Amino acid sequence: MLVFIGMFLVILLQLAHLQLFSSEYKDIALVQGTFRKVIYPDRGIVYDRHRNAILQNTTIYDLMVTPNKLKGIDTMAICGILGIDTAQFHKKIVEVIIKNGRARPSVFEALLTENKMARLNESMYKFEPAFYLQERSVRSYPYDAAANVLGYTAEVDTNFLKKHKDEGYVSGDYAGMTGIERTYEKVLMGERGIEYWKRDNKNRLTEKLEKGKFDTSAVAGQNVHTSLDIELQELGEKLMQNKLGAIVAIDPKTGGVLAMVSAPTYQPKYLTGAERRKHFSELFLNPALPLLNRTVSATYSPGSTFKTLQALVGLHEGVISTQTTVSCGGAFYGCGSGRPMGCLDRGTFNMQSAITVSDNTYFATVMQRVINNPKYPNIDSSLANWDRYMYAFGLGHKLGVDVPSEKRGNIPTPAYYDKSFGKGKWGFCNFRSVSIGQGEVDVTPIQVANEMAYIANRGWYITPHVVDSIEGGDKFEILEQYRQRHSAIDIPDSIFEVVHNGMQGVIERGTGGGARVPGIVVCGKTGTVENYYRGVKQQNHSFFCAFAPRDNPQIAIMCVVENSGRFGGTYAAPIVGLMIEKYLKDSITDKARLARIDQLSNLNLMPPRIFAEIRRQDSMRHSKDSAYLFAKGYIKVVKDTTEIEDDDDAINKMIKEKETTKKEKEKKDSSNQATIIKNEAVLPDNKRKPSNDSLTKNNR
């Protein structure tokens, strides 16, 4: 009797524990009878300066799988719908188990096409509860422009999750990878919501648990307003078709970026949808580097556009006056008759006329006087002072633009020359080419456009930025840095007036006539930039920068056309002129001007070496042989150059495409010289001249 009573009490107590105090079986029952559905929010909409939506959202579906519920699933049927075989099916299942475990839902196939969605909807009941459709808001692009500025989103991978482990991301989330999608990720992403649904005995969803009592709503991302003029951006991209280079246009009063064109580019929608990884691979391996945002990541010698800054320094330091004249008999002989630096501008010039005709001898003389200025105790001090001016003009350091992967460029320092020549063993003649924007000086296109804003404003600039405002407030205090004026050196307006006069002369009487705009006074400067690739001289870059109108500047702009083989006034100047006209007049109606747009856009100036590399890749099928490209170092070079962040899954997939079938071929190929295409614009060491002696051409 005691044993019976004891057993009864144990059972009674256990029942009481299970029903009144323990939640273990309740939780199990709840899991079996309910479904937790993640609601992904809409990302914030992006508008241009005229409130045109240039980046918005559309709805698409992911196919989700929970591996531990696969028992009894009609594998052949779902494989038929998805267009895969059973081996691929099992491989994907293994991948999601490794990535996210057996019990947690994972993306089996992302961003389903409309055809697959239609077929799945008809048969989805066959694949439940292991599979279900997850609604997702993805990006759509009303305009086929500004891909490098806007950036793209992609599913986060393990590397991304490690780098951002405390930011709430989980497997299956999407995040901005490049462009303002990356910079303003916290603003645009929004907050995920959760819904709990009841299941019936056939695992079908019936109604919300407790009428939605436990649900949390998704919160859409904040909308952002940019300074971009999407029509100006479209025009710039049209003009730069079949070319390498960049255009950057800035509102000098606000620092807002009006256009940011990197050429070549790609359609923004190309990196969305089910084919995203395939398209990414194509762009990634393209030798013209369309994924490289040249506006902030490419560096160039500025050529003669640099002379305007030399004028400011020389006048402010007092080593020359506006009436100082220098005579040129065909070359600069300031470093001895045996090492002349040639020019084609014979005559005697003052500051204003020297800017207009872009006389090399004049500006070499100016910098020589700045460097040898007796008020400084030694050349180290005078060069350091010159550096101070360059940094104040926005060169030699990152400006802080709100587009990722900005490069700092290069302004040579005393330490640099000490390392190159030995302490006390160098002087002006070792770097005289810097005086005309060649040699060791490097700039990014955004820095050159900002330099024009600085000159237009007569001594100040606001850090260039794409985003002007955020709806609902700047919660993360991102925009504060884009409200402050930078004016580190106080240069009198009278000095800027002289430089403006010379730059106006460039347009009206000099080498920049192609940038003339009827009824608008434009101030500009051409540059013809020598460059080298692997020690071999390439075709010159065409450089031009300007601001307009002179009296009330509303646009500061630059353009570089790489390896065009002509002067700065040949291609870059007319492109800038058309961009200025479009922005200031809102439209271009003159038939001759419209014909000029078509002429420039149809002009193919792609360097021959790019076509040669494309043909080589095609002939050897390297575009499909990722293992070969990886072995040769090509993929690493491209990744380092473009700074594609956190998309390693796509790259790893390319690397694994070819495994054992070509091992012998790869081993043989690896003994040959590696062919790695690098853009000279981002490899300053490769474009240096072998010596100053080779600098004999006039740099306009």
Side-chain angles (χ1 to χ4, degrees), residues 214-235:
F214 303 107
D215 294 353
T216 56
S217 300
V219 179
Q222 294 175 266
N223 299 335
V224 301
H225 296 264
T226 71
S227 53
L228 286 174
D229 185 320
I230 194 62
E231 292 186 359
L232 187 68
Q233 179 78 22
E234 287 181 315
L235 175 61

Side-chain angles (χ1 to χ4, degrees), residues 621-688:
R621 298 183 179 178
H622 284 174
S623 59
K624 295 181 180 179
D625 190 356
S626 303
Y628 180 94
L629 291 168
F630 182 75
K632 292 297 186 183
Y634 183 86
I635 286 178
K636 183 181 186 303
V637 168
V638 175
K639 186 178 178 184
D640 292 344
T641 302
T642 56
E643 291 193 354
I644 297 299
E645 182 182 5
D646 300 317
D647 212 7
D648 290 332
D649 281 355
I651 297 167
N652 290 335
K653 184 177 180 181
M654 288 189 289
I655 294 168
K656 293 175 182 176
E657 284 177 352
K658 303 290 181 181
E659 296 177 351
T660 58
T661 56
K662 294 188 178 181
K663 274 188 177 180
E664 292 302 319
K665 180 180 180 301
E666 290 171 18
K667 192 177 295 184
K668 180 180 178 181
D669 287 339
S670 64
S671 64
N672 299 327
Q673 183 180 1
T675 301
I676 304 173
I677 295 299
K678 299 180 181 179
N679 189 314
E680 70 273 22
V682 294
L683 298 168
D685 290 340
N686 284 337
K687 66 181 176 56
R688 302 289 182 229

Side-chain angles (χ1 to χ4, degrees), residues 321-541:
S321 70
T322 57
Q323 299 307 313
T324 299
T325 59
V326 173
S327 296
C328 176
F332 170 72
Y333 293 99
C335 292
S337 59
R339 302 179 63 197
M341 183 170 69
C343 68
L344 301 177
D345 307 300
R346 297 175 182 270
T348 300
F349 308 100
N350 61 18
M351 172 60 73
Q352 183 173 315
S353 61
I355 293 175
T356 297
V357 303
S358 195
D359 181 61
N360 284 355
T361 297
Y362 193 97
F363 291 99
T365 302
V366 170
M367 187 167 184
Q368 186 177 41
R369 294 184 183 183
V370 169
I371 296 301
N372 295 332
N373 193 339
K375 78 176 184 179
Y376 297 102
N378 51 51
I379 194 171
D380 286 39
S381 300
S382 58
L383 181 58
N385 182 60
W386 180 83
D387 289 339
R388 182 175 66 92
Y389 279 97
M390 295 301 117
Y391 298 150
F393 299 153
L395 307 182
H397 61 89
K398 294 181 181 180
L399 291 168
V401 63
D402 56 353
V403 176
S405 304
E406 182 188 3
K407 294 291 190 296
R408 61 185 292 274
N410 185 62
I411 294 296
T413 63
Y416 176 89
Y417 290 120
D418 285 344
K419 184 176 180 180
S420 299
F421 300 101
K423 191 168 181 62
K425 296 181 180 180
W426 54 272
F428 167 74
C429 292
N430 294 107
F431 58 87
R432 59 180 178 167
S433 57
V434 170
S435 64
I436 57 172
Q438 295 279 179
E440 292 79 18
V441 62
D442 276 319
V443 297
T444 62
I446 192 76
Q447 288 175 332
V448 178
N450 186 66
E451 165 196 324
M452 286 295 101
Y454 179 90
I455 294 174
N457 291 333
R458 299 173 183 257
W460 60 269
Y461 69 88
I462 295 174
T463 301
H465 55 279
V466 174
V467 173
D468 273 343
S469 63
I470 300 171
E471 288 185 15
D474 183 14
K475 300 175 184 177
F476 302 100
E477 299 181 350
I478 301 174
L479 300 181
E480 181 57 32
Q481 60 184 313
Y482 305 122
R483 304 285 184 261
Q484 302 167 8
R485 287 190 180 190
H486 300 275
S487 53
I489 297 177
D490 185 17
I491 299 176
D493 284 359
S494 58
I495 290 178
F496 285 101
E497 190 69 17
V498 175
V499 174
H500 287 192
N501 289 338
M503 293 176 69
Q504 184 175 338
V506 170
I507 307 300
E508 297 177 353
R509 303 180 299 281
T511 55
R516 289 178 193 151
V517 180
I520 297 173
V521 178
V522 179
C523 295
K525 187 70 191 76
T526 55
T528 305
V529 182
E530 293 185 357
N531 63 98
Y532 286 72
Y533 176 72
R534 293 183 177 179
V536 178
K537 190 178 187 309
Q538 303 295 301
Q539 297 271 28
N540 293 331
H541 297 328

Side-chain angles (χ1 to χ4, degrees), residues 569-638:
T570 308
Y571 301 121
I575 287 174
V576 166
L578 291 165
M579 294 286 284
I580 289 174
E581 182 174 358
K582 167 62 179 170
Y583 181 69
L584 295 181
K585 294 187 174 183
D586 192 51
S587 62
I588 299 175
T589 57
D590 181 78
K591 290 184 179 179
R593 302 287 282 174
L594 291 172
R596 184 62 167 148
I597 291 174
D598 291 336
Q599 180 188 19
L600 287 168
S601 64
N602 292 328
L603 192 64
N604 192 329
L605 298 176
M606 196 69 72
R609 62 179 180 78
I610 299 296
F611 290 114
E613 174 59 19
I614 291 173
R615 287 194 298 270
R616 189 186 67 81
Q617 283 192 17
D618 288 344
S619 64
M620 300 183 72
R621 298 183 179 178
H622 284 174
S623 59
K624 295 181 180 179
D625 190 356
S626 303
Y628 180 94
L629 291 168
F630 182 75
K632 292 297 186 183
Y634 183 86
I635 286 178
K636 183 181 186 303
V637 168
V638 175

